[in-house]
Amino acid sequence: MADSLALAQQPVTQPALTTEMLVVFGVVAFALVLFVTERLPIDVTAILLIVVLVVLEPWTGIDSSTGISGFANDATITVLAMLILSGGIARTGLVQELGRRMAAYAGDSVRKQLFATVLATSPVSGFLNNTPVVALLVPVVTDVANRGNTSPSKLLIPLSYASQVGGMLTLIGTSTNILASDISARLGADYPELHRFSMFEFTQLGAIVVIVGALYLIFIGHYLLPERVPARADYVEEYDVGDYIVEVAVVPGSPYVDETVGTATDELGPEIDVVQVVHDEDRSVAPRQETRLSEGDVLVVRTNRDAITMLEDAPGVELVGNPQSDAELSTDDEAGIITELVISLDSRLVGERLDPEAFRQEFNAAVLGLRHHGALISERIVGKRLDVGDTLLVQAPPDTLDQLSRRNDVIVAREPPQPEYRADKAPIAVAIMIGVVAVAALDLYPILLSALAGVVAMVVSGVLDPNELYDAVEWDIIFLLAGVIPLGIALEESGAAAYLAFLVVSTAGFLPTLVVLWVFYIVTGLVTELISNNASVILLIPVAAAAASGIGANPLAFVFAVMFAASTSFLGPIGYQTNLFVYGPGGYRFSDYFRVGAPLQLLLSVVTVLGIAFFWGV
């Protein structure tokens, strides 16, 4: 094992700090600010980066062709194809069925439930993109918790973490691996040790990471997780909305008799949202604005305290009730199911202000409550700006939940009553996926070509409809890759990466090489928490390779350290999209991720670095 103490005696020339480097550092700082503050959506930030890099071409060296090269990059197209293939598997219901079968034996044992969650998640995440895997399994795992009288908080963070470690089993497990492979191939001209990764090049280390992570989550992690959401929680109580839902009756002689719900809402005020109309014991959930009212109808209204006070004196209506539980709002599932909807990554709702009426018109669901950035918004939810991971408490008819479960805007946090899966296509979908992996693993054709062929096969065989191709893609990830790839090129071409590497070498020259490798792992993990896994890989792999070369170490070892660290983000909900998906349904606070994730991150940092040294040397 090489030691940098000996290597420190070798002369290392400090690169001159040029104007080009300073400009590129400025663009990187600008990008980091935008990523951290989230002032713009990720995809918009990515496009802006392309514009900035091309405008500053005299210093960045990025012309218009290079600026848009990220859209045609092998990694970008491969990730796009793999997302579509994952979407095809999802349409068959195979992942959900696997989750249900693994959970069938778990019963009320938390340890067995965790084992089922990890076993159903990690291996699958090695071959399907882990983001849709978690989206598909959130309702399955939530139902497992409810059936076993376990708090969902005990299982949902482990679900996310298990998917992340599972993604390290193969090249296609996560977009980060594919991107790291592409960067490694590009840097191969300068560092002979670097190359494009094969399908199972790091599977041996990935398997160790999965096993260690699973043992931690099953035997240690759940003790560190508080029960934020009670087992079989009553949603109305959990979201603390009982004081903001009232029942008002249309009294005899009311001006609202024979008028519409829309008219009544306009008259009663903008803060009034009619979530149900009860007519002769029949409940109409999420009623349309044109629904006609009759004498004696009861309107179930979601509003705020001031509006409730106003309703007490409003002509034509009379307060007759104040539901305090799910049972009072939903007498049976046919009347309307109360559940949570998680705002997904590429949802059109991200950045929009909550308009319950517009939401009802588009989604046929009534909004009852909101959890924003992990915090309950109990009273005034109208006009709140929505973000990825926010959770809406809604009530909707069963067929509506079936439809919502197939949309990309939201993740339904419970299994739909009558899901419409193409189960008969499951064998075909699995065969296509095996073919894609086999062709790439045997080096018959590159993964890019085999993945695109798999997409065509999915459509030709009927696993996916042509119009479903676009819905399966997480376009913000594609735009992010396209935007930050030229930034990585500018970092390399300007010499900025080499300059940063020199700073690392000069400050860490007294440390053993293995410790420097561990430092890169930790730094990558921290940077990923602030920006994103893909952005951190693009920014840090060139620096890591140059630093390794500067101390006479193996650049491939440093590239693997950055890749593994970027794909395992455990310290907060922001660094990795799967962490956001479980944020609301688990009722988590930011500190919960750190509490269970920090020990896991430290544990895996040691395991991964030692594993890299053992398998590839440093």
Side-chain angles (χ1 to χ4, degrees):
M1 191 178 297
D3 192 312
S4 61
L5 280 172
L7 292 165
Q9 299 173 359
Q10 300 176 1
V12 180
T13 304
Q14 178 176 358
L17 185 62
T18 64
T19 304
E20 288 78 6
M21 292 182 191
L22 291 173
V23 170
V24 171
F25 286 145
V27 176
V28 170
F30 175 66
L32 292 176
V33 168
L34 290 179
F35 283 131
V36 172
T37 60
E38 298 181 332
R39 295 298 299 269
L40 295 173
I42 286 179
D43 44 3
V44 176
T45 297
I47 295 173
L48 179 58
L49 285 179
I50 295 174
V51 173
V52 171
L53 288 168
V54 174
V55 168
L56 298 176
E57 179 189 352
W59 300 278
T60 64
I62 303 298
D63 57 19
S64 57
S65 296
T66 308
I68 63 172
S69 63
F71 287 102
N73 185 273
D74 283 7
T76 305
I77 304 302
T78 303
V79 169
L80 184 146
M82 293 309 304
L83 287 170
I84 295 174
L85 292 174
S86 298
I89 297 290
R91 291 297 296 122
T92 68
L94 193 63
V95 175
Q96 296 91 323
E97 181 61 25
L98 174 64
R100 283 191 292 269
R101 287 180 181 244
M102 288 304 305
Y105 86 101
D108 57 1
S109 168
V110 176
R111 190 161 291 172
K112 286 184 178 181
Q113 291 168 3
L114 283 165
F115 179 78
T117 298
V118 172
L119 195 58
T121 306
S122 291
V124 174
S125 295
F127 297 92
L128 302 180
N129 187 279
N130 51 15
T131 303
V133 167
V134 171
L136 294 171
L137 288 179
V138 162
V140 176
V141 171
T142 301
D143 284 356
V144 167
N146 289 332
R147 287 199 303 268
N149 200 31
T150 300
S151 167
S153 308
K154 291 289 188 181
L155 303 182
L156 288 175
I157 277 183
L159 167 66
S160 176
Y161 289 177
S163 78
Q164 291 180 48
V165 295
M168 300 313 300
L169 287 171
T170 71
L171 173 65
I172 60 175
T174 172
S175 59
T176 310
N177 298 348
I178 297 172
L179 182 58
S181 174
D182 183 77
I183 298 171
S184 176
R186 190 169 71 239
L187 294 175
D190 298 321
Y191 309 100
E193 301 88 347
L194 299 184
H195 54 270
R196 194 176 300 278
F197 306 148
S198 63
M199 179 64 67
F200 301 108
E201 181 149 353
F202 44 83
T203 298
Q204 66 271 48
L205 179 55
I208 293 173
V209 168
V210 167
I211 292 171
V212 172
L215 291 175
Y216 172 85
L217 292 171
I218 294 170
F219 293 101
I220 299 174
H222 75 93
Y223 290 113
L224 303 176
L225 281 171
E227 295 186 1
R228 297 295 185 194
V229 177
R232 296 176 180 171
D234 185 291
Y235 283 124
V236 172
E237 293 180 4
E238 181 192 339
Y239 275 75
D240 192 26
V241 294
D243 291 339
Y244 310 107
I245 300 176
V246 294
E247 296 173 333
V248 295
V250 179
V251 300
S254 170
Y256 305 123
V257 174
D258 293 330
E259 291 292 346
T260 65
V261 167
T263 300
T265 301
D266 291 340
E267 292 292 329
L268 293 173
E271 296 292 339
I272 300 296
D273 182 38
V274 179
V275 299
Q276 289 183 21
V277 174
V278 184
H279 177 76
D280 294 335
E281 304 300 323
D282 292 329
R283 289 179 180 265
S284 174
V285 176
R288 297 292 182 180
Q289 291 287 282
E290 57 272 17
T291 300
R292 291 280 171 182
L293 300 177
S294 303
E295 181 180 307
D297 284 355
V298 175
L299 311 182
V300 181
V301 172
R302 171 45 164 114
T303 184
N304 55 59
R305 286 194 177 95
D306 293 340
I308 291 175
T309 302
M310 180 275 297
L311 285 173
E312 293 175 350
D313 301 320
V317 295
E318 177 184 354
L319 266 65
V320 294
N322 180 210
Q324 294 292 316
S325 68
D326 293 359
E328 294 180 68
L329 279 177
S330 181
T331 54
D332 57 72
D333 282 352
E334 292 303 317
I337 297 173
I338 298 177
T339 188
E340 296 169 299
L341 302 180
V342 184
I343 306 298
S344 63
L345 275 172
D346 52 355
S347 174
R348 288 170 295 166
L349 297 172
V350 175
E352 297 293 325
R353 294 192 180 276
L354 179 58
D355 181 345
E357 174 53 32
F359 189 92
R360 180 165 49 247
Q361 292 293 329
E362 180 172 359
F363 295 93
N364 194 34
V367 180
L368 303 176
L370 171 65
R371 195 187 297 272
H372 178 65
H373 291 169
L376 287 176
I377 310 298
S378 299
E379 184 169 5
R380 297 183 183 275
I381 61 174
V382 178
K384 292 293 182 183
R385 196 177 294 279
L386 299 175
D387 202 355
V388 176
D390 285 357
T391 308
L392 297 166
L393 179 65
V394 303
Q395 185 173 24
D399 58 341
T400 293
L401 291 185
D402 290 337
Q403 296 167 14
L404 288 175
S405 68
R406 298 193 297 273
R407 294 186 58 159
N408 286 341
D409 289 298
V410 292
I411 300 167
V412 182
R414 65 176 287 178
E415 288 198 89
Q418 297 175 329
E420 295 181 8
Y421 299 131
R422 296 178 186 138
D424 59 317
K425 300 291 185 181
I428 299 174
V430 172
I432 292 171
M433 201 69 193
I434 291 174
V436 169
V437 172
V439 168
L442 295 173
D443 285 332
L444 300 178
Y445 292 100
I447 181 62
L448 169 63
L449 192 60
S450 66
L452 288 175
V455 169
V456 175
M458 286 276 188
V459 176
V460 171
S461 63
V463 175
L464 279 173
D465 292 335
N467 63 329
E468 292 174 334
L469 296 179
Y470 305 97
D471 293 336
V473 178
E474 296 167 20
W475 290 104
D476 57 338
I477 292 180
I478 300 302
F479 276 94
L480 173 64
L481 290 175
V484 295
I485 283 173
L487 180 59
I489 295 174
L491 200 64
E492 299 162 30
E493 298 295 332
S494 67
Y499 187 83
L500 290 176
F502 168 79
L503 296 180
V504 172
V505 171
S506 61
T507 55
F510 61 91
L511 297 175
T513 303
L514 197 63
V515 175
V516 179
L517 184 67
W518 179 81
V519 168
F520 262 100
Y521 185 104
I522 295 297
V523 168
T524 303
L526 295 175
V527 170
T528 299
E529 297 295 339
L530 297 176
I531 48 176
S532 76
N533 49 338
N534 290 320
S536 62
V537 158
I538 286 177
L539 294 177
L540 291 175
I541 280 183
V543 178
S549 179
I551 61 174
N554 180 7
L556 183 62
F558 280 67
V559 169
F560 279 151
V562 170
M563 182 183 72
F564 270 77
S567 296
T568 50
S569 174
F570 305 135
L571 301 184
I574 299 172
Y576 212 87
Q577 50 266 37
T578 60
N579 291 346
L580 281 171
F581 289 171
V582 301
Y583 198 8
Y588 296 118
R589 298 174 186 170
F590 195 99
S591 59
D592 294 335
Y593 290 86
F594 188 86
R595 178 182 302 171
V596 70
L600 179 59
Q601 187 81 297
L602 287 173
L603 175 63
L604 290 185
S605 71
V606 174
V607 169
T608 303
V609 168
L610 291 177
I612 290 171
F614 178 79
F615 290 117
W616 295 282
V618 296

